[in-house]
């Protein structure tokens, strides 16, 4: 019952907002903040009471807060939800990031009722996907997240928002259709004729049909690769991120991309263990290509938001590298494969926190100057030190600096994958070097040098003041010839949204056992099931 409340409480709040259009705009966002805060508190209570167990716990046993109701009896599809070490961290991440976005959006001026209701609807869709233990229920929530994000981008985005929203919807919806075909294949190949994930993982279908198993894995893999996204199915991502509102980009990168990687570890690996073993090296290769492609293309960007978007392709490549290594049973022992799986799952949480913060900070640039272009900004460390500090912390965390959650994740992925796929792992390490370079270059472009802001900046979002002195004694100019316009630093609501994400990334970097105690038993369960 508690998990059902967690899933549907945001949807109930969305219904209240739509049913009461007379609520003032700021109060509507307040309802969103309150609903998200209560939802996060409930997830925290679930975490506090959750007992991962001494041995492998998850997937087929050790499920907590379970509810199983009949829904479509003719195909044995039901409302089956539950929590284990795979889903609980992602439920917590969802609660944290949606609350941060709600606080960040406190002064949203454009149709705040509908805006808040859409995000609450999205929160229910994401919570439901992570909690689902039935393939049809997973598919329903998975598709609802696509619908919600489409309207967020199309209704509150900028630039070519409608085109980007349509591109996002078509790509991801076609991917979800491939996913549905794969789910039907699992149903038809199972002895029980069921869509229940727990039953399918306990008794894998298509074990005696390598060709059919490979084709079903291909369909599921394509659907999840588009959502993740992985090379070469990532082309919808940069446009969607660039034109989405800041909160939309944060949720898209921090949560919706994880629906894809979560599908690999929850569905593809334990339900199709033999097929995953046979094709694990393909997953490793695709992961390495995504790591390098995302890093090199991000390095070439002249737009800070597109750069951050491409780093998501890079970071999700590390996840697939770790999950692929977990399937190379003949090349690595169970301990190494468990470490790789733990690292991949840790990366999902770490990426959500750090990239969510980066996208919210990029939204600050848009609100001040309506531009993400590197050449329109400069020297922001002097007029906006809090913004500069937050951006630097998020950047260093994303490049994998020790002391941050990203280091713990990537270290475990590389350590676990090195035995299974040494050549691919060594090549993937190059991605860290490129990522470090591109983030350091971004910091140099945005934060150092003369203070420069876009010439078309909104004066209400900027503070007038004399520009910094150059070496020759002259004054830098930006908006006006005789004065430089200094960017206002982070407002309290912006800082309240971003700083907790960065603090959590540091905590998970310094005290990883907080998360590892929950993840490790579930990772052991996945590795055991894949190794059957």
């Amino acid at each position: 019952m508690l998990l059902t409340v967690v899933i549907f409480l945001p949807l109930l709040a969305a219904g209240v907002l739509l049913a009461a259009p007379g609520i003032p705009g700021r109060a509507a966002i307040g309802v969103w903040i309150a609903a998200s805060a209560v939802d996060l508190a409930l997830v925290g209570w679930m975490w506090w009471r959750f007992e991962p167990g001494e041995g492998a716990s998850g997937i087929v046993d050790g499920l907590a807060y379970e509810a199983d109701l009949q829904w479509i009896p003719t195909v044995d599809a039901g409302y089956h939800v539950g929590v284990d070490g795979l889903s609980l961290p992602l439920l917590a991440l969802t609660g944290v990031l949606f609350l941060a976005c709600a606080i960040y959006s406190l002064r949203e001026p454009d149709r705040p009722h509908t805006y808040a209701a859409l995000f609450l609807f999205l929160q229910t869709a994401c919570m439901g996907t992570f909690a689902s233990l039935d393939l049809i229920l997973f598919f329903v929530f998975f598709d609802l997240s696509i619908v919600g994000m489409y309207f967020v981008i199309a209704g509150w985005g900028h630039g070519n928002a409608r085109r980007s929203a349509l591109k996002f919807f078509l790509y991801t919806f076609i991917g979800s259709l491939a996913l549905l075909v794969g789910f039907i294949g699992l149903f038809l190949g199972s002895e029980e004729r069921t869509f229940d994930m727990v039953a399918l993982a306990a008794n894998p279908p298509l074990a005696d049909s390598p060709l059919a198993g490979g084709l079903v894995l291909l369909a599921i893999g394509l659907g999840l690769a588009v959502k993740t996204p992985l090379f070469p199915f990532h082309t919808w991502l940069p446009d969607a991120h660039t034109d989405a509102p800041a909160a939309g980009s944060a949720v898209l990168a921090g949560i919706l991309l994880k629906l894809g990687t979560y599908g690999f570890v929850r569905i593809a690996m334990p339900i199709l263990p033999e097929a995953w073993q046979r094709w694990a090296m393909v997953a490793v290769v695709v992961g390495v290509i995504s790591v390098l492609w995302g890093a090199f293309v991000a390095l070439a960007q002249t737009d800070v938001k597109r750069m951050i978007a491409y780093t998501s392709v890079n970071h999700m490549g590390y996840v697939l590298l770790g999950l692929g290594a977990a399937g190379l049973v003949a090349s690595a022992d169970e301990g190494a494969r468990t470490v790789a799986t733990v690292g991949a799952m840790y990366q999902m949480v770490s990426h959500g926190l750090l990239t969510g913060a980066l996208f919210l900070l990029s939204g600050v640039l848009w609100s001040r100057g309506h531009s993400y272009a590197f050449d329109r900004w400069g020297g922001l460390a002097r007029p906006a030190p809090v913004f500069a500090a937050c951006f630097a912390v998020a950047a260093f965390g994303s490049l994998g600096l020790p002391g941050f959650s990203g280091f713990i994740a990537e270290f475990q992925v590389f350590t676990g994958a090195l035995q299974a796929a040494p050549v691919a792992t060594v090549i993937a390490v190059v991605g860290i070097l490129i990522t470090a370079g591109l983030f350091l270059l971004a910091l140099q472009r945005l934060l150092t040098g003369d203070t420069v802001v876009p010439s078309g900046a909104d004066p209400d979002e900027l503070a007038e003041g004399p520009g910094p002195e150059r070496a020759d004694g002259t004054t830098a100019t930006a908006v006006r010839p005789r004065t430089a316009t200094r960017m206002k630093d982070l407002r309290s609501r912006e800082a309240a949204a971003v700083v907790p994400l960065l603090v959590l990334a540091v905590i998970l970097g310094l005290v990883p056992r907080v998360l590892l105690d929950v993840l490790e038993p579930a990772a052991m369960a996945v590795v055991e099931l894949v190794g059957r």
Side-chain angles (χ1 to χ4, degrees), residues 225-499:
V226 172
K227 189 77 168 182
T228 297
L230 299 168
F231 177 89
F233 308 104
H234 66 286
T235 53
W236 61 266
L237 182 72
D239 291 338
H241 272 310
T242 302
D243 296 334
S249 291
V251 168
L252 179 57
I255 306 299
L256 265 64
L257 302 192
K258 310 308 177 299
L259 302 183
T261 52
Y262 177 75
F264 281 111
V265 72
R266 168 65 71 182
I267 299 170
M269 295 173 67
I271 297 179
L272 291 167
E274 292 189 3
W276 189 260
Q277 288 181 38
R278 264 192 309 274
W279 298 100
M281 186 53 73
V282 174
V284 168
V285 171
V286 172
V288 172
I289 293 174
S290 297
V291 165
L292 296 178
W293 180 269
F296 278 114
V297 177
L299 182 63
Q301 298 305 306
T302 59
D303 179 303
V304 63
K305 207 176 186 190
R306 290 182 75 88
M307 182 206 76
I308 298 169
Y310 276 111
T311 62
S312 292
V313 179
N314 165 267
H315 286 97
M316 293 301 97
Y318 294 128
V319 174
L320 195 64
L321 171 62
L323 298 181
L328 297 174
V329 177
S331 304
D333 58 50
E334 186 172 298
R337 292 184 290 113
T338 299
V339 170
T341 305
V342 171
M345 294 161 60
Y346 211 100
Q347 177 74 333
M348 296 184 206
V349 177
S350 172
H351 177 266
L353 295 172
L354 291 168
T355 305
L358 282 169
F359 275 119
L360 292 179
L361 289 169
S362 71
V364 173
L365 294 179
W366 181 265
S367 70
R368 306 298 195 266
H370 301 293
S371 176
Y372 302 117
F374 279 115
D375 60 3
R376 306 290 298 279
W377 297 96
L380 299 182
R382 187 177 293 104
V386 177
F387 169 86
C390 289
F391 193 90
V393 169
F396 283 121
S398 294
L399 63 83
L401 193 72
F404 291 92
S405 56
F407 172 77
I408 302 296
E410 292 169 10
F411 175 77
Q412 290 186 102
V413 168
F414 291 137
T415 301
L418 189 60
Q419 186 185 55
V423 175
T425 304
V426 170
I427 294 173
V429 171
V430 177
I432 293 183
L433 300 177
I434 305 302
T435 304
L438 69 91
F439 273 114
L440 292 175
L441 185 60
L443 291 175
Q444 183 182 26
R445 289 173 170 178
L446 289 175
L447 306 183
T448 63
D450 293 337
T451 301
V452 178
V453 298
S455 58
D458 183 354
D460 292 335
E461 295 289 347
L462 302 168
E464 294 287 341
E469 284 193 3
R470 294 194 178 99
D472 59 2
T474 61
T475 302
T477 60
V479 174
R480 295 179 177 85
R482 296 183 180 177
T483 60
T485 305
R486 297 175 179 270
M487 187 181 87
K488 286 183 179 178
D489 209 344
L490 291 186
R491 295 183 173 88
S492 56
R493 62 177 175 84
E494 294 165 341
V498 172
V499 171

Side-chain angles (χ1 to χ4, degrees), residues 2-30:
L2 179 58
L3 181 56
T4 299
V5 172
V6 168
I7 295 170
F8 290 104
L9 176 62
L11 185 63
L12 177 62
V16 169
L17 287 177
L18 294 178
I23 297 177
R26 193 168 181 181
I29 303 296

Side-chain angles (χ1 to χ4, degrees), residues 19 53-54 61 100 107 109 113 119 133 152 175 223 258 281 311 319 356 374 378 384 403 408 456 467 501:
E54 296 296 327
D61 64 1
R107 292 186 179 274
H113 286 80
F119 272 94
L133 296 175
V152 167
K258 310 308 177 299
M281 186 53 73
T311 62
V319 174
F374 279 115
I408 302 296
L501 301 179

Side-chain angles (χ1 to χ4, degrees), residues 39-392:
D39 217 36
L40 179 58
L42 292 176
V43 173
W45 175 251
M46 290 168 59
W47 189 300
W48 180 261
R49 297 180 57 194
F50 181 72
E51 296 180 5
E54 296 296 327
S57 178
I59 313 298
V60 295
D61 64 1
L63 297 165
Y65 307 103
E66 197 171 1
D68 192 359
L69 302 175
Q70 204 173 58
W71 180 28
I72 312 175
T74 51
V75 293
D76 194 24
Y79 174 76
H80 190 187
V81 294
V83 167
D84 61 9
L86 294 181
S87 55
L88 184 56
L90 294 174
L91 288 171
L93 174 65
T94 302
V96 167
L97 200 53
F98 271 92
L99 178 57
C101 290
I103 295 170
Y104 182 90
S105 305
L106 187 58
R107 292 186 179 274
E108 173 60 42
D110 185 13
R111 295 161 291 161
H113 286 80
T114 311
Y115 186 77
L118 266 177
F119 272 94
L120 288 164
F121 170 82
L122 256 177
Q123 186 168 350
T124 285
C126 294
M127 290 285 193
T129 305
F130 290 132
S132 293
L133 296 175
D134 182 274
L135 293 175
I136 297 300
L137 189 65
F138 180 96
F139 176 78
V140 169
F141 282 123
F142 188 91
D143 262 17
L144 289 177
S145 72
I146 298 172
V147 174
M149 185 53 67
Y150 166 80
F151 284 110
V152 167
I153 298 172
W156 285 266
H158 39 260
N160 294 319
R162 293 184 180 180
R163 176 183 176 275
S164 297
L166 181 61
K167 187 176 182 180
F168 159 79
F169 184 87
L170 291 177
Y171 266 73
T172 51
F173 186 70
I174 290 171
S176 73
L177 293 180
L179 195 64
L180 181 60
V181 171
F183 289 171
I184 294 172
L186 291 176
F187 172 80
L188 296 176
S190 64
E191 294 180 2
E192 299 93 342
R193 288 291 195 272
T194 180
F195 284 102
D196 188 86
M197 294 184 196
V198 177
L200 291 171
N203 186 18
L206 305 171
D208 300 324
S209 304
L211 177 60
L215 291 174
V216 170
L217 179 60
L218 175 63
I220 293 174
L222 285 174
L224 298 176
V226 172
K227 189 77 168 182
T228 297
L230 299 168
F231 177 89
F233 308 104
H234 66 286
T235 53
W236 61 266
L237 182 72
D239 291 338
H241 272 310
T242 302
D243 296 334
S249 291
V251 168
L252 179 57
I255 306 299
L256 265 64
L257 302 192
K258 310 308 177 299
L259 302 183
T261 52
Y262 177 75
F264 281 111
V265 72
R266 168 65 71 182
I267 299 170
M269 295 173 67
I271 297 179
L272 291 167
E274 292 189 3
W276 189 260
Q277 288 181 38
R278 264 192 309 274
W279 298 100
M281 186 53 73
V282 174
V284 168
V285 171
V286 172
V288 172
I289 293 174
S290 297
V291 165
L292 296 178
W293 180 269
F296 278 114
V297 177
L299 182 63
Q301 298 305 306
T302 59
D303 179 303
V304 63
K305 207 176 186 190
R306 290 182 75 88
M307 182 206 76
I308 298 169
Y310 276 111
T311 62
S312 292
V313 179
N314 165 267
H315 286 97
M316 293 301 97
Y318 294 128
V319 174
L320 195 64
L321 171 62
L323 298 181
L328 297 174
V329 177
S331 304
D333 58 50
E334 186 172 298
R337 292 184 290 113
T338 299
V339 170
T341 305
V342 171
M345 294 161 60
Y346 211 100
Q347 177 74 333
M348 296 184 206
V349 177
S350 172
H351 177 266
L353 295 172
L354 291 168
T355 305
L358 282 169
F359 275 119
L360 292 179
L361 289 169
S362 71
V364 173
L365 294 179
W366 181 265
S367 70
R368 306 298 195 266
H370 301 293
S371 176
Y372 302 117
F374 279 115
D375 60 3
R376 306 290 298 279
W377 297 96
L380 299 182
R382 187 177 293 104
V386 177
F387 169 86
C390 289
F391 193 90

